[in-house]
Amino acid sequence: MRPLRRRSSASERAKEIEAINCIVSGKNVLITGGAAGLGYAFLNHFLKHGANKIVILDIDAEAGKRIALGIEKSCGEKKVHFIHTDVSNHKQVTEAFKKTSALLETIDIVVNNAGILDERRWEKEIAVNISGMVSTAMLAMQHMRRDTGGHGGILVNVGQHMDIRNTAQLPVYTATKHAIIGLSQSLSDPYHYEKTGVTVITLCAGLTETSMTVDSPNKLLSRVMKADFVKTLEQFSIQTPYVVAQGLMTILRIGESGSIWVIESGRAPYEVYVPNPRTLRRHYKNNFTHVDTKVVGGRAIREVCDSTRTGLMSCA
C-alpha cells in the first residue's frame, strides 16, 4: 500500500503561492502551442500568478485570436498577444521572436511546449517536435542571454514521461521526446549558464487529457496497432492539464538549471536524473566463458557468461 502523503496546510500553501508570485509576477512570458491543451493551461496559471504580458504562438489562428480577445475583455487590458506561427518553420519562429521582443521589450520565461503526435506523418512529427523545439530553444537563449544584452531568464522544454516498455506503437514520437532531454541537458551545462544566465528546465508530463492524447490511437503507423495501443493507455492514470500547469509553477520555484521533472497521475512533481553511463556498464572477464559462484541466501548460485553467441560476454 502506498503511504499517504501529508497534505499541505493552508499556511504552507499560502507561502508557496507567495514564492511562486515572486518568480512569475511582473514577468513577460512566451508560450509555444499556447492555444490549447497544456499550453492554454500554462497561460492561465501565469496570468493567475501575476505575469505582466504573455505571448502565445500557435498554428491555430482562430483559437489563438479568440483566447487573446477573451482575456482582453475579462482583464480590461491587452495582457495576452497571439502570433500565428508554425514552429516547424524556422523563419516564422524567428519572426515571431522579433515581434515578441517588440511587444514585450524583454522576454523572461519561455515555455517550449508545441508538439504533435502523428506517426503516419512522422516527417512532420520530427519537424515540429525536434526542429521546432530546437528553433524555439535556440532563439530563446539568443534573446534572453546576458552576454548579448539580455537579462537572463528561464527556458522550460516540455517533453513526455513514458515507460519505454510501453512505446512500441510510438517509435518516432518517443525518439523526438528523448531528443528534448538531450537538448536541455546540453543547454543547461555550466558552460552555457555562466555566459547566458538562462536556467533550462525539462518538464516531462505523463498521460494528460488533451486533444492530442484523445486522438492518438488514430495517428499510429497502422490500424492494427490501435487496439494494442488503447489497451496500453488503459494501464495509466490520466491527469488534467490544470494539474500539470500547477506543477510547473512549483517547479519554477524550486527547479535548478539542468533538472528534469516528472508530473504523472495527477500527483506533485518529482525530479529524476539521467544516470551516468559508467554506472550502467557490464563487466566481462576476458573474452571466454566464465563461471562464477555466488552465495545468495545460503544457496550457491552459478553465474554463467557465454561468449559463443555474440562474441562478447553475455551473462545469464
Side-chain angles (χ1 to χ4, degrees), residues 11 14 16 32 50 63 74 79 115 119 174 227 234 240 254 262 301 312:
S11 60
E16 181 178 13
T32 65
S74 61
K79 296 281 289 184
E119 295 290 286
T174 302
E234 290 173 351
T240 64
I254 62 178
V262 173
I301 301 295
L312 292 175

Side-chain angles (χ1 to χ4, degrees), residues 42 156-160 201-205 244 248 251 261-263:
F42 295 147
V156 180
N157 290 323
V158 180
Q160 185 80 24
I201 296 171
T202 308
L203 166 61
C204 297
V244 179
L248 174 60
I251 293 168
W261 295 84
V262 173
I263 302 176

Side-chain angles (χ1 to χ4, degrees), residues 241-255:
Y242 179 92
V243 170
V244 179
Q246 187 177 47
L248 174 60
M249 299 300 109
T250 298
I251 293 168
L252 292 176
R253 180 175 67 86
I254 62 178

Side-chain angles (χ1 to χ4, degrees), residues 204-222:
C204 297
L207 187 64
T208 306
E209 188 178 1
T210 65
S211 59
M212 185 173 74
T213 302
V214 171
D215 199 36
S216 59
N218 299 316
K219 301 291 186 178
L220 305 181
L221 288 169
S222 70

Side-chain angles (χ1 to χ4, degrees), residues 27-138:
K27 297 297 192 297
N28 295 321
V29 184
L30 183 148
I31 305 171
T32 65
L38 282 177
Y40 183 59
F42 295 147
L43 165 66
N44 283 306
H45 273 74
F46 277 115
L47 288 172
K48 175 183 175 182
H49 288 285
N52 180 36
K53 290 184 179 180
I54 303 173
V55 170
I56 56 174
L57 312 184
D58 206 289
I59 198 169
D60 189 339
E62 183 178 343
K65 292 175 182 177
R66 183 174 64 249
I67 289 169
L69 182 60
I71 293 174
E72 182 178 1
K73 288 181 177 179
S74 61
C75 294
E77 58 178 314
K78 194 72 173 177
K79 296 281 289 184
V80 175
H81 299 266
F82 170 71
I83 300 175
H84 181 229
T85 310
D86 177 357
V87 296
S88 66
N89 186 317
H90 181 70
K91 184 177 180 180
Q92 287 190 27
V93 183
T94 302
E95 288 300 316
F97 266 86
K98 289 180 181 178
K99 291 178 182 177
T100 300
S101 293
L103 287 168
L104 307 183
E105 294 185 359
T106 61
I107 303 173
D108 302 303
I109 301 173
V110 174
V111 182
N112 194 2
N113 166 72
I116 63 170
L117 192 163
D118 193 345
E119 295 290 286
R120 296 181 185 180
R121 298 189 302 156
W122 56 266
E123 298 94 338
K124 183 66 175 178
E125 203 171 40
I126 290 173
V128 174
N129 295 356
I130 295 183
S131 298
M133 294 199 82
V134 169
S135 291
T136 300
M138 301 309 288

Side-chain angles (χ1 to χ4, degrees), residues 50 55 151 164:
V55 170
H151 300 283
I164 198 168

